[in-house]
Amino acid sequence: MYVAVKGGERAIENAHRLLADERRGDRTLPSITLEQIAGQLSLAVDRVMAEGSLFDRDLAALAVKQARGDLIEAIFLIRAYRTTLPRFGATHPIETAAMRVRRRISATFKDLPGGQLLGPTFDYTHRLLDPDLAGDPDLPAPALRPELPTAMPRVTDLLGNEGLIEADPAETGEPVGDLTREPLSFPADRDLRLQGLARGDEGYLLALAYSTQRGYGRTHPFVGEIRMGEVEVEIDVPELGFSVVIGRITVTECQMVNQFKGSAKAPPAFTRGYGLAFGHQERKAMSMALVDRSLRAGELGEDRTAPAQDEEFVLSHCDNVQSTGFVEHLKLPHYVDFQAELDLVRRMRTEVAEKREAAE
Amino acid sequence: MNALPPTAATVAHDTPAYNFAYLDEQTKRMIRRAILKGIAIPGYQVPFASREMPMPYGWGTGGVQVTAAVLGPDDVLKVIDQGADDTTNAVAIRGFFRKTAGVRTTTHTAEATVIQTRHRIPEAPLAEHQILVYQVPIPEPLRFLEPRETETRTMHALEEYGLMHVKLYEDIARHGHIATTYAYPVKVDGRYIMDPSPTPKFDNPKMHRSKALQLFGAGREKRIYAIPPHTDVVSLDFEDHPFKVQTFAQPCALCAAEGVYLDEVLLDDKGGRMFVCSDTDNCEERRAAGHRGALAGDDISRKDRS
Amino acid sequence: MTAVTSAAFDGGFRQPVFDAQTTFRAIMDALARPGRRVICRPLATAPAPMSPLMAAVALTLVDPETPVWLDGALAASADVRGWFAFQTGAPMVDQPADAAFAFVVDPARMPPLSAFAQGTPEYPDRSTTLVVSAESVEDTGAVFTGPGIETSVLFDTRPAIPAFAEQWQANRALFPRGVDLLFVAADAIVGLPRSSRLRTG
């Protein structure tokens, strides 16, 4: 007699125990601490905060640990937690010109007010595996400025003073959209596009950005500036009648300076692409800035021919929590639909065979 | 401002207190409003601000959000996947609601007031007081003909469905059949073309004038739609190629049911196979009532396949 | 207009989660089965002239994301406006066409259905849902057919909406655009979604 597969509940429970067991690994080794993850795998934690849309290093570290280092899984954990949080209000826009800058580079000027500040970067490291890091080597202390600069003009402001770059869009007073509260519809405004990109998968944005450099919607970019450091987050407290600083967050900002536009009415000026990410996320901020600029094709009167210029394509597929869910759902049982297809294919093959026989 | 995000320490030590049926009340209201619009405009996909759920997109987040928005403490919930109550995804979702809403669950179709399903409609006709909630992966029936939402939205607005008929007719020209066997498009109340979710087309006739309210949730695609009770749901077809459902050459090997949807089970690698009911509850009830299929005879009942 | 009294702060759901769910199921049932009297015990109260059941419907559906329009009789009461502000946080709008929900206690003097938001061909859901007081609901009068109705259903509400038959036919002619109605009696809700057809002759 045929015995149907039963006991799903027990099987699931045991699978989860196995998962927990493998996550813990060798019990003779100490369990990795959240402080170690947040401190020593800080870029993984930054990515989880950025794409998880929640600035909380401790929670992101916990998510990385729980996800066994699978960052998309960790991002998913953070998102699922974030969505249950009550909203108290919206902060003021952060002021990146007042950032306590830890890194700032410009590719457009050799030197500029505030200077070039390399900060902690992989750039110019020789990518040679360092066997010393297998242990815990003594490190020479880095040389630090006595005081981090707190007011450094942005390159785009310097260009803007001369009218060489398009002005930042004027403050409209309109509330900023939130695609986690209102379903996205197309065409989407730039606020929603930037939100989508900021939450978007780093790898996906990197590939799209790369495609624009190779001619699929070329925008002739220069890195006006990348800066990374801490900014203050301010919120209005209606009970007090003024705003208060509720904390400091680390962000990376990238301002791309792109090919100029001009018309009979407006003299030529460079255009902007903007990227901003939680934490130290340079690749993400740069990719975001390139894609942001590409998505402005319509607004700037350029032909929309390339994937990176297609906002519906870009925004519908940039969220890795969505895409991983749907790709991975294919492993769920589909045997009912497969049975329907099997039946049709068998029937059509029989018909073909019958026709062939009849013809012979 | 005292409720700042918790730190790892508080998360690690506090048991999070979730609302009844997990969703917060603001989210439930938003989903409920979308459900009402869906009912008022049968077959029209209402955009809603789908939330991130503690389960992956594509695994029933839309159905779960709809169920969470309608479910009350007096409801009795049944969850099926592929027609079966014991498939892993059905087990996981049922467990989710038992944990977050404490509702009574059942595997008996007749006992349930809310039935969440993936890929099947129960064989037994549903009753007036029942609500059938479908998990929907791709709600847009025109999506595989036209990937752009901006285009398909206009096509629905203008009731411009020629493309769908062309696609079905091309199938006939190429294969001699309409090659769509599941997620077979339907027209609701003579207006909107709708995706019935990936149910086999075998189930399409069950949607027509059903006594139960049918609600559809697509979480990742952020759409909710509905078919009120007693509503015309017509599968698209052509005069010379009328809509036909699948038929099976043999009855269920366990309960001998005919005219039901069967799963094919491979028994060995030499072509041995059997066909058994996809609707496990229907099959069990028939067997309890004394129906016996070819492979359920008492004489072999003690012989375990393992 | 008068000043807000403490009445604005009274009358919310005792058990917000369960009371909203109970009321929602009645509303959903009413819209899914047009013309049918769906019994619903009022689980909230609001200042007059808003009825307890209308208050419960408002608490179930309305919040800061839904612009609300009140008819003259409701808008004249500072307590009613205060109740909406305190209990729901819904923004009030002056134009019926800007409302996601409209509350009407004086149907005889309400604006035409066409004055409310009708939705667009692409987004017909962006329309107003009208919640209208009914002193009585009779199973006589006009005959409706359509989704949710097995064969046909008769019903009539008092006080009547002026020229309702003509207005409803015009509303149905706009389908899928158009408004949806929820008639609220003392202990019952009757739904009339835009999909319902008024049988003539």
Side-chain angles (χ1 to χ4, degrees):
Chain A
M1 139 138 187
Y2 169 70
V3 182
V5 193
K6 287 267 181 196
E9 214 143 339
R10 236 178 320 132
I12 290 174
E13 202 194 320
N14 203 38
H16 294 170
R17 274 192 212 163
L18 264 174
L19 169 72
D21 183 70
E22 297 218 346
R23 170 167 49 220
R24 179 57 184 84
D26 185 347
R27 305 290 206 280
T28 63
L29 298 174
S31 175
I32 190 169
T33 67
L34 300 191
E35 291 73 18
Q36 286 171 328
I37 295 171
Q40 297 175 49
L41 299 176
S42 57
L43 298 186
V45 167
D46 283 352
R47 179 170 176 198
V48 170
M49 293 197 302
E51 293 169 37
S53 292
L54 186 71
F55 196 98
D56 187 315
R57 301 199 70 81
D58 296 340
L59 284 180
L62 175 63
V64 170
K65 181 175 182 179
Q66 186 175 334
R68 305 174 63 189
D70 177 337
L71 295 190
I72 292 183
E73 181 69 24
I75 290 161
F76 181 15
L77 287 168
I78 290 298
R79 291 268 196 96
Y81 175 71
R82 175 191 191 272
T83 193
T84 65
L85 296 175
R87 270 123 175 100
F88 296 112
T91 68
H92 290 257
I94 55 172
E95 183 50 83
T96 53
M99 178 188 281
R100 285 160 50 106
V101 176
R102 290 200 281 138
R103 169 166 164 80
R104 189 272 199 115
I105 53 166
S106 169
T108 49
F109 296 101
K110 183 173 182 187
D111 201 3
L112 66 170
Q116 307 263 16
L117 185 58
L118 279 184
T121 177
F122 289 120
D123 297 350
Y124 321 112
T125 60
H126 299 138
R127 267 65 170 200
L128 303 170
L129 279 173
D130 179 358
D132 288 349
L133 276 178
D136 190 4
D138 278 336
L139 296 174
L144 293 175
R145 293 190 186 196
E147 190 89 358
L148 285 177
T150 52
M152 201 183 266
R154 288 174 295 222
V155 167
T156 45
D157 296 338
L158 300 172
L159 286 169
N161 291 343
E162 281 185 71
L164 286 169
I165 193 164
E166 59 172 336
D168 259 330
E171 183 67 57
T172 60
E174 292 276 306
V176 177
D178 183 350
L179 56 78
T180 69
R181 310 304 286 181
E182 286 280 334
L184 196 57
S185 61
F186 301 106
D189 288 338
R190 194 165 173 213
D191 53 348
L192 290 168
R193 294 202 308 250
L194 286 170
Q195 184 190 12
L197 298 179
R199 292 160 57 87
D201 182 76
E202 178 180 315
Y204 174 83
L205 294 184
L206 175 66
L208 282 173
Y210 179 45
S211 73
T212 68
Q213 289 181 284
R214 293 195 62 260
Y216 288 85
R218 185 160 166 72
T219 58
H220 308 273
F222 296 93
V223 170
E225 170 170 358
I226 294 167
R227 61 170 63 194
M228 183 274 291
E230 281 66 52
V231 290
E232 291 183 334
V233 177
E234 242 179 295
I235 190 163
D236 275 331
V237 181
E239 291 84 349
L240 299 178
F242 53 85
S243 63
V244 292
V245 173
I246 55 168
R248 259 190 212 101
I249 61 172
T250 307
V251 295
T252 306
E253 184 186 56
C254 173
Q255 301 241 25
M256 286 284 178
V257 175
N258 298 74
Q259 189 169 53
F260 45 86
K261 272 282 141 200
S263 67
K265 277 186 221 148
F270 292 105
T271 57
R272 294 167 187 259
Y274 188 76
L276 182 76
F278 283 160
H280 191 176
Q281 293 280 293
E282 221 159 282
R283 184 188 301 124
K284 168 67 179 277
M286 292 176 75
S287 301
M288 178 176 168
L290 288 171
V291 177
D292 169 52
R293 174 61 184 79
S294 282
L295 290 177
R296 297 181 61 210
E299 168 201 344
L300 295 169
E302 297 159 352
D303 287 340
R304 275 196 274 199
T305 52
Q309 295 169 319
D310 182 335
E311 67 167 23
E312 187 170 343
F313 179 82
V314 171
L315 296 178
S316 300
H317 304 112
C318 69
D319 189 305
N320 55 25
V321 177
Q322 288 175 9
S323 46
T324 200
F326 201 45
V327 167
E328 292 197 49
H329 108 285
L330 289 172
K331 66 191 164 190
L332 290 180
H334 282 77
Y335 47 76
V336 162
D337 292 344
F338 187 68
Q339 182 59 44
E341 295 278 87
L342 256 184
D343 173 69
L344 178 69
V345 171
R346 281 190 184 130
R347 204 139 31 88
M348 292 196 304
R349 288 172 63 89
T350 311
E351 284 168 6
V352 170
E354 281 167 0
K355 263 189 217 152
R356 212 174 276 160
E357 249 169 60
E360 276 164 15
Chain B
M1 299 314 307
N2 50 359
L4 289 171
T7 63
T10 62
V11 170
H13 299 117
D14 296 352
T15 317
Y18 290 110
N19 198 11
F20 177 82
Y22 180 76
L23 297 176
D24 60 282
E25 288 305 295
Q26 166 97 22
T27 298
K28 283 187 198 164
R29 267 195 303 275
M30 176 271 295
I31 296 170
R32 286 167 180 165
R33 290 192 294 257
I35 291 172
L36 296 183
K37 293 290 187 188
I39 290 170
I41 318 167
Y44 165 73
Q45 303 160 49
V46 185
F48 83 111
S50 176
R51 300 291 193 244
E52 267 133 347
M53 300 297 287
M55 61 192 66
Y57 283 118
W59 298 50
T61 56
V64 165
Q65 289 180 79
V66 169
T67 297
V70 303
L71 206 62
D74 299 331
D75 277 309
V76 182
L77 177 70
K78 173 182 163 84
V79 183
I80 50 173
D81 186 343
Q82 313 293 299
D85 299 273
D86 55 8
T87 34
T88 41
N89 201 40
V91 168
I93 291 172
R94 192 163 54 240
F96 176 74
F97 282 113
R98 230 184 353 239
K99 184 152 64 178
T100 60
V103 291
R104 207 149 73 77
T105 59
T106 183
T107 58
H108 299 300
T109 302
E111 233 175 59
T113 56
V114 178
I115 303 172
Q116 181 168 328
T117 182
R118 176 168 172 267
H119 293 194
R120 276 310 311 276
I121 301 175
E123 302 289 359
L126 299 179
E128 280 253 322
H129 67 282
Q130 294 183 306
I131 300 168
L132 185 58
V133 178
Y134 296 76
Q135 301 173 200
V136 182
I138 300 278
E140 178 50 71
L142 306 167
R143 187 57 73 233
F144 299 106
L145 309 172
E146 168 52 64
R148 276 174 204 285
E149 166 74 12
T150 35
E151 295 290 325
T152 53
R153 192 156 278 283
T154 309
M155 290 157 79
H156 283 295
L158 300 174
E159 210 174 342
E160 210 179 81
Y161 294 134
L163 202 57
M164 180 63 93
H165 285 97
V166 169
K167 191 261 171 198
L168 296 177
Y169 211 85
E170 278 174 358
D171 278 2
I172 296 170
R174 191 172 312 142
H175 306 293
H177 293 270
I178 292 177
T180 303
T181 56
Y182 59 90
Y184 190 103
V186 294
K187 195 164 210 180
V188 182
D189 193 39
R191 177 55 179 84
Y192 281 100
I193 287 192
M194 188 196 93
D195 184 310
S197 86
T199 50
K201 67 177 182 175
F202 179 90
D203 283 338
N204 276 19
K206 296 186 184 130
M207 310 176 88
H208 179 60
R209 305 209 135 248
S210 169
K211 286 184 180 167
L213 170 63
Q214 301 173 76
L215 302 176
F216 298 78
R220 191 179 38 77
E221 297 282 340
K222 302 178 169 54
R223 298 289 183 271
I224 283 172
Y225 52 104
I227 305 175
H230 312 295
T231 299
D232 287 339
V233 180
V234 179
S235 302
L236 302 185
D237 64 356
F238 300 95
E239 259 176 39
D240 50 344
H241 275 88
F243 174 80
K244 270 195 301 227
V245 300
Q246 294 104 324
T247 54
F248 292 84
Q250 43 194 305
C252 169
L254 297 179
C255 78
E258 294 183 36
V260 296
Y261 199 79
L262 303 178
D263 292 336
E264 180 173 337
V265 178
L266 303 182
L267 297 173
D268 52 42
D269 57 1
K270 300 176 186 66
R273 62 171 68 98
M274 67 190 286
F275 288 85
V276 295
C277 278
S278 140
D279 183 336
T280 49
D281 173 58
N282 196 54
C283 192
E284 277 160 26
E285 285 188 4
R286 282 178 53 81
R287 277 180 280 154
H291 297 281
R292 284 285 177 275
L295 291 177
D298 293 332
D299 51 328
I300 53 167
S301 65
R302 257 165 264 114
K303 212 164 53 174
D304 204 278
R305 277 205 320 124
S306 60
Chain C
M1 301 225 176
T2 50
V4 183
T5 70
S6 66
F9 307 112
D10 296 334
F13 285 137
R14 289 240 171 81
Q15 302 185 71
V17 172
F18 299 111
D19 293 353
Q21 191 271 340
T22 304
T23 311
F24 170 70
R25 281 288 276 272
I27 296 168
M28 180 171 81
D29 218 19
L31 264 193
R33 293 174 171 83
R36 184 186 290 192
R37 274 176 62 95
V38 176
I39 300 299
C40 183
R41 198 161 58 84
L43 297 169
T45 58
M50 194 138 150
S51 74
L53 188 50
M54 187 179 268
V57 170
L59 292 176
T60 302
L61 298 178
V62 163
D63 60 29
E65 293 177 358
T66 54
V68 163
W69 180 88
L70 301 177
D71 78 349
L74 286 171
S77 161
D79 280 347
V80 167
R81 286 183 279 115
W83 184 91
F84 265 100
F86 178 75
Q87 303 284 355
T88 73
M92 291 291 150
V93 293
D94 295 330
Q95 296 304 317
D98 295 333
F101 289 92
F103 290 84
V104 176
V105 291
D106 186 4
R109 268 185 282 274
M110 68 185 279
L113 299 183
S114 58
F116 295 89
Q118 310 288 309
T120 67
E122 286 79 18
Y123 294 96
D125 54 303
R126 295 177 181 174
S127 58
T128 308
T129 300
L130 285 84
V131 184
V132 182
S133 280
E135 279 160 28
S136 67
V137 181
E138 309 290 338
D139 51 1
T140 57
V143 182
F144 291 91
T145 63
I149 303 170
E150 188 162 7
T151 50
S152 64
V153 66
L154 280 86
F155 90 97
D156 206 1
T157 59
R158 294 268 173 270
I161 295 175
F164 185 64
E166 292 76 20
Q167 287 210 62
W168 190 255
Q169 268 162 342
N171 190 58
R172 171 68 221 194
L174 289 174
F175 191 87
R177 299 169 62 225
V179 299
D180 308 310
L181 300 185
L182 288 170
F183 292 104
V184 177
D187 63 349
I189 302 171
V190 180
L192 193 63
R194 69 194 78 180
S195 59
S196 294
R197 302 174 180 90
L198 177 61
R199 191 185 285 168
T200 52

